[in-house]
Amino acid sequence: MNHHPETTAVHVSAPQLPHSRPISVPIYQASNFAFDDPDALAEALGRPEGEFVYSRYANPTTRALETTVAALEGGFGAVATASGMGAINSVLLSSLRSGDHVIAQNCLYGGTIATFADLADRFGVQISYIPGHDPAEVAAALRPNTRLLYLETIANPMTQVVDLPAFLAAGREAGLITVVDNTFATPLLCRPLEHGADVVLHSATKYLGGHSDVTGGILVAAQEQRYRQLWHHTMEIGACADPFAAWLVLRGVQTLPLRMRQHCANAAVLAERLAAHPAVSAVHWPGRVEHPDHQVASRVLADYGGMLAFDLVGGREAGYALSKGVRLVRLAASLGGVESTVLHPGSTSHRQLDAAALRDAGIGAGTVRLSVGIEHVEDLWADLAQALEN
Ligand SMILES: *Cc1c(COP(=O)(O)O)cnc(C)c1O
């Protein structure tokens, strides 16, 4: 049929490739999918596993990422989100009602703490923070209205590692929904669902993506019912991932095992060298026997991760000087990319806090966080060593 140019310009169709199977996942940058019959369309709108109908509900590229990460975490299914905070807000809003009580580890990602404060302020959700040293803390914090236990596998910036199997067992015994932010460990170092978590989440902006080029998140549910609930609410809230962002994360995930090996190996070398340096008073990395959670980490983690923190003898001024002195290592707020980054909370994210308030936050005035990248470790050490001389 001969259409008008206005019509022809609109009705472009992708080439059909009946006998070709692309090795990479194509980017389905499509928001809307056509159907032959209204019953099939109606059916597809109601289920995550139906035909693709609308990309806020599901998208083929995004689905490829969800299937891959669900398999890596050992879950029933996953829901990709626009960011880590999108994942966190989606699981909390879909699990909590006003008046519910949450037990959470006190050392959490700042955005998560801000979300809990907001839920408390505007929706009357009650929060109890526990130190995360002893699983008996869960039973001690329980209230009749406790609904959810929220943990991080490796916590920022002092690399605290909770005894996940024990804490999750305590949470399950109390009938709580258990949620673990596994961003720092990744499924290569720990699979919290295997230890009894109901939901695992990631900021895919960090290690899953791994290249500092995409903002994303993902939720993985152990069970079908929870998966359907998370899918439904993420779709309703509209925190879904964009197909191109999902594609970038998927591309990152393909090299995640290789990258994690190098992050961990480099961190092991740098942790030792930093600890031996006279300008450094302490190194916080779970692989060190001096780390308070080393025993737990050895049991719970397959390796000790690429995040470490160290305290400078010279305090806040020394942290500031190191931030300015690094050349190869970048000064940046985020982490988990192929390139190494440092952040000195005392002169950036936490600069408004005095030394006592910093200590309350579990951070020293001279504490520096190092996200160890996959560069050659000798180049990293040369840069850190020259920056420590300043
Ligand atoms: C960055 C981060 C988040 C938030 O993720 P965004 O992608 O920035 O929204 C959540 N948890 C942890 C542990 C993080 O490091």
Side-chain angles (χ1 to χ4, degrees), residues 4-252:
H4 296 88
E6 289 81 355
T7 308
T8 307
V10 167
H11 285 266
V12 178
S13 53
Q16 300 281 321
L17 303 172
H19 300 297
S20 305
R21 285 174 294 161
I23 293 231
S24 68
V25 174
I27 306 168
Y28 284 84
Q29 197 70 38
S31 61
N32 207 2
F33 296 79
F35 283 73
D36 288 332
D37 129 46
D39 295 333
L41 198 160
E43 159 86 8
L45 280 169
R47 295 184 300 132
E49 67 281 75
E51 282 184 67
F52 296 103
V53 55
Y54 187 56
S55 285
R56 178 159 53 78
Y57 291 53
N59 171 279
T61 307
T62 307
R63 179 56 50 80
L65 171 65
E66 291 166 338
T67 308
T68 305
V69 176
L72 287 171
E73 287 285 8
F76 175 85
V79 181
T81 56
S83 66
M85 290 310 301
I88 290 164
N89 276 280
S90 183
V91 67
L92 294 180
L93 289 172
S94 67
S95 307
L96 298 171
R97 294 169 193 274
S98 57
D100 280 348
H101 174 239
V102 174
I103 301 174
Q105 202 180 328
N106 59 15
C107 198
L108 289 180
Y109 180 70
T112 309
I113 292 181
T115 293
F116 279 132
D118 203 41
L119 288 171
D121 188 36
R122 295 189 303 121
F123 299 100
V125 171
Q126 303 162 16
I127 321 285
S128 295
Y129 286 106
I130 57 172
H133 300 314
D134 179 350
E137 295 160 13
V138 175
L142 276 179
R143 297 178 189 171
N145 55 336
T146 307
R147 178 115 182 97
L148 189 139
L149 174 66
Y150 191 99
L151 305 166
E152 288 185 7
T153 319
I154 304 175
N156 188 22
M158 306 308 261
T159 67
Q160 185 191 358
V161 181
V162 289
D163 189 344
L164 271 188
F167 275 77
L168 290 170
R172 289 177 78 79
E173 192 168 328
L176 309 183
I177 302 168
T178 52
V179 179
V180 179
D181 182 334
N182 201 32
T183 298
F184 278 26
T186 83
L188 271 301
L189 305 191
C190 183
R191 281 185 291 277
L193 300 179
E194 288 177 358
H195 299 303
D198 295 310
V199 179
V200 162
L201 65 88
H202 289 269
S203 168
T205 316
K206 315 293 168 54
Y207 287 111
L208 295 190
H211 293 74
S212 308
D213 56 9
V214 60
T215 302
I218 197 158
L219 293 160
V220 189
Q223 302 296 341
E224 178 172 1
Q225 198 188 350
R226 182 87 47 205
Y227 162 69
R228 287 177 179 278
Q229 178 201 12
L230 293 173
W231 171 76
H232 194 91
H233 281 264
T234 305
M235 177 264 282
E236 260 181 21
I237 293 165
C240 53
D242 170 81
F244 183 53
W247 183 85
L248 284 169
V249 174
L250 188 58
R251 189 176 162 98

Side-chain angles (χ1 to χ4, degrees), residues 221-307:
Q223 302 296 341
E224 178 172 1
Q225 198 188 350
R226 182 87 47 205
Y227 162 69
R228 287 177 179 278
Q229 178 201 12
L230 293 173
W231 171 76
H232 194 91
H233 281 264
T234 305
M235 177 264 282
E236 260 181 21
I237 293 165
C240 53
D242 170 81
F244 183 53
W247 183 85
L248 284 169
V249 174
L250 188 58
R251 189 176 162 98
V253 165
Q254 291 182 305
T255 56
L256 179 65
L258 280 173
R259 285 185 286 110
M260 286 313 289
R261 218 176 293 159
Q262 197 62 36
H263 287 299
C264 295
N266 283 355
V269 173
L270 295 181
E272 284 311 310
R273 297 216 186 148
L274 285 165
H277 197 283
V280 175
S281 56
V283 172
H284 311 277
W285 186 64
R288 288 178 56 74
V289 288
E290 294 85 353
H291 190 287
D293 303 323
H294 177 66
Q295 299 285 340
V296 170
S298 301
R299 242 186 320 112
V300 173
L301 306 176
D303 204 334
Y304 301 105
M307 295 302 306

